[in-house]
mmCIF file of all heavy atoms in Angstrom:
data_model
loop_
_atom_site.group_PDB
_atom_site.id
_atom_site.type_symbol
_atom_site.label_atom_id
_atom_site.label_comp_id
_atom_site.label_asym_id
_atom_site.label_seq_id
_atom_site.Cartn_x
_atom_site.Cartn_y
_atom_site.Cartn_z
ATOM 1 N N TRP J 170 137.358 -141.440 80.421
ATOM 2 C CA TRP J 170 136.437 -141.840 79.374
ATOM 3 C C TRP J 170 136.164 -143.290 79.258
ATOM 4 O O TRP J 170 135.254 -143.724 78.525
ATOM 5 C CB TRP J 170 136.923 -141.296 77.972
ATOM 6 C CG TRP J 170 138.345 -141.651 77.778
ATOM 7 C CD1 TRP J 170 139.453 -140.874 78.078
ATOM 8 C CD2 TRP J 170 138.933 -142.858 77.102
ATOM 9 N NE1 TRP J 170 140.630 -141.533 77.717
ATOM 10 C CE2 TRP J 170 140.294 -142.715 77.123
ATOM 11 C CE3 TRP J 170 138.327 -143.983 76.527
ATOM 12 C CZ2 TRP J 170 141.083 -143.673 76.635
ATOM 13 C CZ3 TRP J 170 139.134 -144.918 75.991
ATOM 14 C CH2 TRP J 170 140.547 -144.776 76.071
ATOM 15 N N ALA J 171 136.914 -144.080 80.014
ATOM 16 C CA ALA J 171 136.812 -145.523 79.979
ATOM 17 C C ALA J 171 136.012 -146.056 81.196
ATOM 18 O O ALA J 171 135.637 -147.238 81.219
ATOM 19 C CB ALA J 171 138.115 -146.216 79.832
ATOM 20 N N ILE J 172 135.789 -145.196 82.173
ATOM 21 C CA ILE J 172 135.195 -145.692 83.400
ATOM 22 C C ILE J 172 133.680 -145.758 83.261
ATOM 23 O O ILE J 172 132.993 -144.764 83.013
ATOM 24 C CB ILE J 172 135.549 -144.797 84.539
ATOM 25 C CG1 ILE J 172 137.066 -144.784 84.776
ATOM 26 C CG2 ILE J 172 134.841 -145.248 85.858
ATOM 27 C CD1 ILE J 172 137.555 -143.830 85.894
ATOM 28 N N GLY J 173 133.166 -146.975 83.391
ATOM 29 C CA GLY J 173 131.694 -147.145 83.373
ATOM 30 C C GLY J 173 131.056 -146.952 81.997
ATOM 31 O O GLY J 173 129.832 -146.786 81.911
ATOM 32 N N THR J 174 131.881 -146.886 81.008
ATOM 33 C CA THR J 174 131.314 -146.556 79.655
ATOM 34 C C THR J 174 131.241 -147.770 78.727
ATOM 35 O O THR J 174 130.613 -147.736 77.633
ATOM 36 C CB THR J 174 132.271 -145.529 78.919
ATOM 37 O OG1 THR J 174 133.559 -146.066 78.850
ATOM 38 C CG2 THR J 174 132.307 -144.260 79.593
ATOM 39 N N GLY J 175 131.877 -148.875 79.212
ATOM 40 C CA GLY J 175 131.947 -150.074 78.312
ATOM 41 C C GLY J 175 132.968 -149.928 77.259
ATOM 42 O O GLY J 175 133.142 -150.856 76.307
ATOM 43 N N ARG J 176 133.725 -148.870 77.248
ATOM 44 C CA ARG J 176 134.770 -148.636 76.238
ATOM 45 C C ARG J 176 136.151 -148.561 76.847
ATOM 46 O O ARG J 176 136.539 -147.570 77.414
ATOM 47 C CB ARG J 176 134.454 -147.251 75.564
ATOM 48 C CG ARG J 176 135.343 -146.850 74.459
ATOM 49 C CD ARG J 176 134.988 -145.488 73.930
ATOM 50 N NE ARG J 176 136.117 -144.993 73.233
ATOM 51 C CZ ARG J 176 136.370 -143.734 73.055
ATOM 52 N NH1 ARG J 176 135.537 -142.788 73.486
ATOM 53 N NH2 ARG J 176 137.428 -143.361 72.329
ATOM 54 N N ASN J 177 136.798 -149.749 76.908
ATOM 55 C CA ASN J 177 138.089 -149.774 77.600
ATOM 56 C C ASN J 177 139.158 -149.183 76.720
ATOM 57 O O ASN J 177 139.061 -149.119 75.494
ATOM 58 C CB ASN J 177 138.463 -151.232 77.924
ATOM 59 C CG ASN J 177 138.619 -152.142 76.669
ATOM 60 O OD1 ASN J 177 137.543 -152.492 76.090
ATOM 61 N ND2 ASN J 177 139.766 -152.394 76.128
ATOM 62 N N ALA J 178 140.307 -148.706 77.312
ATOM 63 C CA ALA J 178 141.425 -148.252 76.555
ATOM 64 C C ALA J 178 142.046 -149.490 75.895
ATOM 65 O O ALA J 178 141.901 -150.597 76.360
ATOM 66 C CB ALA J 178 142.465 -147.570 77.521
ATOM 67 N N SER J 179 142.696 -149.293 74.755
ATOM 68 C CA SER J 179 143.276 -150.375 74.005
ATOM 69 C C SER J 179 144.612 -150.777 74.683
ATOM 70 O O SER J 179 145.210 -149.937 75.371
ATOM 71 C CB SER J 179 143.627 -149.962 72.550
ATOM 72 O OG SER J 179 144.608 -149.027 72.516
ATOM 73 N N PRO J 180 145.050 -152.069 74.538
ATOM 74 C CA PRO J 180 146.382 -152.447 75.076
ATOM 75 C C PRO J 180 147.443 -151.448 74.744
ATOM 76 O O PRO J 180 148.272 -151.098 75.546
ATOM 77 C CB PRO J 180 146.597 -153.794 74.537
ATOM 78 C CG PRO J 180 145.229 -154.304 74.162
ATOM 79 C CD PRO J 180 144.416 -153.122 73.774
ATOM 80 N N GLU J 181 147.499 -150.905 73.508
ATOM 81 C CA GLU J 181 148.463 -149.979 73.065
ATOM 82 C C GLU J 181 148.401 -148.685 73.880
ATOM 83 O O GLU J 181 149.442 -148.134 74.295
ATOM 84 C CB GLU J 181 148.339 -149.671 71.605
ATOM 85 C CG GLU J 181 148.611 -150.792 70.607
ATOM 86 C CD GLU J 181 147.440 -151.880 70.637
ATOM 87 O OE1 GLU J 181 146.286 -151.513 70.892
ATOM 88 O OE2 GLU J 181 147.672 -153.050 70.484
ATOM 89 N N GLN J 182 147.158 -148.184 74.014
ATOM 90 C CA GLN J 182 147.035 -146.899 74.806
ATOM 91 C C GLN J 182 147.452 -147.139 76.240
ATOM 92 O O GLN J 182 148.144 -146.274 76.805
ATOM 93 C CB GLN J 182 145.545 -146.489 74.737
ATOM 94 C CG GLN J 182 145.082 -145.936 73.366
ATOM 95 C CD GLN J 182 143.633 -145.761 73.360
ATOM 96 O OE1 GLN J 182 142.806 -146.590 73.852
ATOM 97 N NE2 GLN J 182 143.205 -144.690 72.699
#
Side-chain angles (χ1 to χ4, degrees):
W170 49 271
I172 299 177
T174 58
R176 183 184 160 202
N177 61 282
S179 69
E181 295 72 31
Q182 289 171 320

